[in-house]
Amino acid sequence: MTIRQYSTTILLVGSMASSAHIRASGEIFHAYSNLDALKQSMIAEFSLAYNDIPTALHNYTVLAIKSNSTTVKQRALNVALEQNDLKAALDIATHWVVQEPEDVPALFYLAHISLKVHEYELAAETLNKILNIDANADLEQILAGIAPEAPEDREVLLNALRSSPEKNNPSILILIAGLEAQNGQLEQALSTVNRALRKRPQVTGFILMKANLLIALEDEQAAIKWFKKSSRKHKNNLDVRLAEARYLIKIKQPELALEKLKNIIKTWPDAEEALFIAGLTSIDLKNYDQAEQYLVALRYSNQYQNEAYYYLAINAERKQHLETAKAYYRLVDGSLYIVSRRNLIAIFEQQEKPDDALRFLTQERVNYPQHASFLYQAQAEILKKIGNKKAALQLLDEAIKNLPDDPELIYAQVLLLDPFQDKIPLDQALKKLLQIEPNSPTYLNAYAYTLALQNRRLGEARKYAEHALEYAPEQASILDTLGYIAFLQNDYDTAAEALGKAYEISNSVNIGVRFAKALYMQGNLKKFTDVLQQLKQKHPNDPQLDQLDGLLLPQQFNKS
């Protein structure tokens, strides 16, 4: 953070120094002003670095008001917004507009901040000024992320916009329509959009907003008709035509969508989004050769390269070309890296080649050290599956030495350690997990359940389970752990309550059996019988239920 702020200072100082050089032939007074500004900006940046926010904001606000530099004003405004000091931001933007009344970016800032601080009359007045300068200005971005959440606030803003002298301006109409839609007034919003479209029928945002309103009104036929009309009328508008194709896919008309996409690609052969959607749609329609043709065209795309390789691999798998699929999966990086390698490991398993998978993952750790944790875990899982638990534990020991504070590696080790034979290393691993993430419900539950299995330190185990439930109150596994511990402590009321909730959530036979035992020990025999009958219906062949049947025998003998 400090380095970043110092870098900003250097850029800012450079900007101011160059400005000073340009004005060097001016009066000496300007040189002193530049020196003062330079000093003030450095104080502001150093104050930010040392988290003295009030000093930084004061200096930048004064600088922004006195300086003619757009760079200084921009920096001052950014600092105020980053610190969420909306009053300072409003002051800076207001002075900026006073100094430069026709600076559109300054007006945009002022309108945006005015909306954020609920100064709706000022916002409407500022929007008018923007539209007087540029009648085609895109005002939607001003509302992005800050449209009023409370209906009362939206109503105030709507009234301000409706009473504005520019209320019939298409951009103002679109803002009004957006607020009406947020209020659930979809029909009214549609009417307002239609008014805007009559004035500016070519604007993509207006066309798509009408389509979205028709979709929100669940008028599928009207939406299809509007898209069809718009695509025909604006045949050179890529965004409109793509939106039509996406909607057709959404309403489960992929064949028609693909025809539309083919026509789009004829007109725009390099339209990457169209190629990508066409590739995925072709896979869904089992047109695998066609899918490959579209996706191969994206191999060098900055935006879609990894997705293209991933779906080329999926496509090859569907064709049962497993070696081709593996080759494509190897090329995937970025956010799809882990899922692609999981799919690749699954192919190795399908081919019954665990040794090849292990060698591949070892090489991947060299090629992709940033994914070492995942790769170690994947190797350990393969070793476990082929029955070499000892090698899996040794590998995880190596991994933890290299990445000592990686909780996922330690947890993978915990899952492999035996709660009875490996008490000491298991206890150490669980303690380390809670040192790293003391409030993780998963790790708290793991420690609690391990202690319960070992039937020791049950008071401590119960605290861990109760603490875990604070963070995940509806998680069946944690409720099960708490119920199990309470049962061991002879607290059958708590055990029955916790296990009952866990069984209701999960319908697990194991939890159901524990729940039934808790009910029996609690003395609630009617409920015990009901749960037992339910378990028999759902899991008729489970041998655990024979034990529960045995609990009823003494009662049957007594009755006879």
Side-chain angles (χ1 to χ4, degrees):
M1 185 66 177
T2 304
I3 291 169
R4 185 183 69 78
Q5 290 178 338
Y6 287 171
S7 300
T8 307
T9 306
I10 291 164
L11 289 170
L12 187 63
V13 169
S15 166
M16 295 177 72
S18 63
S19 300
H21 176 73
I22 291 166
R23 296 194 299 269
S25 60
E27 297 178 14
I28 295 173
F29 172 76
H30 292 301
Y32 287 120
S33 297
N34 283 326
L35 286 173
D36 288 343
L38 181 60
K39 180 180 175 183
Q40 213 162 355
S41 66
M42 290 184 73
I43 291 170
E45 289 295 335
F46 279 107
S47 299
L48 275 177
Y50 287 96
N51 209 31
D52 182 0
I53 306 304
T55 300
L57 278 173
H58 170 75
N59 276 273
Y60 262 132
T61 303
V62 171
L63 263 175
I65 292 167
K66 290 184 176 180
S67 171
N68 291 323
S69 167
T70 301
T71 306
V72 171
K73 289 183 175 68
Q74 181 78 63
R75 176 62 179 153
L77 198 52
N78 286 345
V79 169
L81 291 171
E82 281 172 11
Q83 302 303 327
N84 204 31
D85 191 327
L86 296 178
K87 183 181 181 305
L90 188 61
D91 287 344
I92 293 164
T94 302
H95 281 285
W96 190 351
V97 169
V98 168
Q99 288 175 329
E100 300 180 52
E102 295 197 359
D103 188 310
V104 173
L107 288 164
F108 265 77
Y109 272 119
L110 182 58
H112 184 85
I113 296 162
S114 301
L115 289 172
K116 217 167 185 180
V117 297
H118 310 297
E119 293 282 352
Y120 299 125
E121 288 185 14
L122 176 59
E125 179 188 329
T126 308
L127 291 171
N128 289 340
K129 290 179 181 177
I130 293 170
L131 293 168
N132 284 333
I133 296 168
D134 179 5
N136 295 317
D138 181 7
L139 302 183
E140 278 189 271
Q141 58 183 295
I142 292 173
L143 274 177
I146 59 160
E149 292 183 13
E152 317 85 67
D153 289 340
R154 281 199 293 271
E155 204 56 44
V156 172
L157 178 55
L158 271 169
N159 290 334
L161 292 172
R162 285 168 179 159
S163 60
S164 159
E166 296 290 332
K167 62 186 177 185
N168 292 318
N169 184 290
S171 294
I172 292 288
L173 287 169
I174 284 297
L175 289 181
I176 291 171
L179 292 164
E180 288 169 340
Q182 276 189 299
N183 278 346
Q185 301 166 324
L186 299 178
E187 293 283 2
Q188 179 61 43
L190 185 60
S191 173
T192 306
V193 169
N194 282 331
R195 287 171 59 200
L197 277 164
R198 281 195 289 273
K199 292 173 180 286
R200 289 173 65 188
Q202 308 292 330
V203 179
T204 302
F206 296 7
I207 296 166
L208 296 182
M209 190 172 190
K210 177 172 179 176
N212 289 334
L213 285 168
L214 291 170
I215 293 166
L217 286 163
E218 298 181 357
D219 193 341
E220 187 177 296
Q221 290 307 311
I224 291 172
K225 187 176 177 182
W226 174 246
F227 270 126
K228 187 175 181 180
K229 177 183 175 182
S230 300
S231 291
R232 186 175 62 250
K233 188 175 178 182
H234 308 285
K235 60 183 179 181
N236 293 320
N237 190 319
L238 175 60
D239 291 328
V240 169
R241 292 178 64 180
L242 274 174
E244 180 186 24
R246 284 195 296 268
Y247 181 62
L248 290 168
I249 291 167
K250 182 181 176 182
I251 60 172
K252 297 182 171 53
Q253 294 189 26
E255 293 88 354
L256 181 55
L258 190 56
E259 286 305 311
K260 301 279 185 183
L261 288 163
K262 285 177 181 177
N263 290 329
I264 290 170
I265 292 165
K266 281 179 187 174
T267 307
W268 293 278
D270 297 322
E272 293 187 346
E273 187 177 354
L275 288 164
F276 183 63
I277 299 172
L280 268 57
T281 307
S282 298
I283 292 175
D284 288 341
L285 292 172
K286 301 182 180 179
N287 295 335
Y288 301 126
D289 291 340
Q290 187 172 264
E292 186 172 4
Q293 175 190 336
Y294 292 129
L295 293 170
V296 162
L298 295 169
R299 285 176 303 168
Y300 305 110
S301 162
N302 289 329
Q303 183 175 355
Y304 290 103
Q305 184 184 61
N306 285 310
E307 287 81 358
Y309 282 137
Y310 179 78
Y311 286 104
L312 280 165
I314 296 285
N315 193 58
E317 269 198 273
R318 299 273 177 91
K319 293 166 73 174
Q320 287 299 303
H321 296 172
L322 299 184
E323 294 305 318
T324 303
K326 283 157 67 175
Y328 278 128
Y329 278 134
R330 284 186 173 97
L331 295 170
V332 178
D333 200 353
S335 61
L336 290 170
Y337 176 86
I338 289 176
V339 67
S340 67
R341 285 356 182 236
R342 283 190 178 131
N343 289 357
L344 183 49
I345 292 164
I347 294 175
F348 278 121
E349 288 181 358
Q350 184 181 335
Q351 294 176 323
E352 297 182 354
K353 294 179 177 179
D355 292 337
D356 288 354
L358 290 167
R359 280 192 292 272
F360 165 72
L361 292 169
T362 300
Q363 184 59 45
E364 284 287 281
R365 282 196 273 120
V366 176
N367 297 338
Y368 297 92
Q370 69 272 32
H371 294 296
S373 174
F374 159 73
L375 296 165
Y376 273 123
Q377 291 173 64
Q379 283 183 294
E381 186 63 27
I382 291 170
L383 289 166
K384 178 186 168 186
K385 283 181 180 176
I386 62 176
N388 199 342
K389 181 179 166 183
K390 183 179 177 182
L393 283 167
Q394 287 173 345
L395 181 71
L396 289 172
D397 281 338
E398 176 196 327
I400 292 166
K401 283 175 186 172
N402 293 330
L403 301 163
D405 295 320
D406 188 305
E408 292 185 6
L409 283 173
I410 299 169
Y411 187 60
Q413 185 184 53
V414 163
L415 295 176
L416 279 175
L417 290 168
D418 188 281
F420 304 106
Q421 295 178 8
D422 304 313
K423 277 187 183 179
I424 293 174
L426 184 54
D427 208 54
Q428 289 172 342
L430 288 162
K431 281 180 180 173
K432 182 69 184 286
L433 277 177
L434 292 185
Q435 284 174 5
I436 297 168
E437 292 187 26
N439 297 322
S440 164
T442 302
Y443 303 153
L444 286 162
N445 185 51
Y447 209 165
Y449 189 67
T450 300
L451 291 172
L453 283 175
Q454 296 167 348
N455 199 10
R456 66 190 184 100
R457 291 159 48 196
L458 294 178
E460 183 183 344
R462 184 160 176 165
K463 285 180 184 176
Y464 288 145
E466 289 169 345
H467 189 34
L469 281 173
E470 291 173 14
Y471 296 97
E474 300 298 318
Q475 194 163 314
S477 61
I478 301 173
L479 287 163
D480 178 40
T481 299
L482 177 61
Y484 182 34
I485 294 166
F487 187 91
L488 294 172
Q489 292 177 316
N490 300 325
D491 181 359
Y492 301 121
D493 291 343
T494 302
E497 182 184 355
L499 291 165
K501 285 182 186 175
Y503 180 56
E504 186 180 342
I505 294 167
S506 69
N507 284 315
S508 159
V509 63
N510 294 328
I511 294 176
V513 168
R514 278 196 282 274
F515 177 38
K517 287 179 180 177
L519 290 169
Y520 183 85
M521 297 303 293
Q522 190 187 30
N524 191 344
L525 298 180
K526 182 181 182 308
K527 181 73 172 173
F528 167 80
T529 306
D530 291 344
V531 171
L532 177 56
Q533 291 307 313
Q534 191 181 91
L535 286 166
K536 283 181 174 180
Q537 286 174 4
K538 291 182 178 178
H539 313 280
N541 300 316
D542 196 293
Q544 295 180 88
L545 304 185
D546 296 338
Q547 300 173 5
L548 298 180
D549 268 330
L551 295 175
L552 290 172
L553 288 175
Q555 291 179 35
Q556 292 168 355
F557 286 133
N558 288 336
K559 285 179 182 177
S560 64

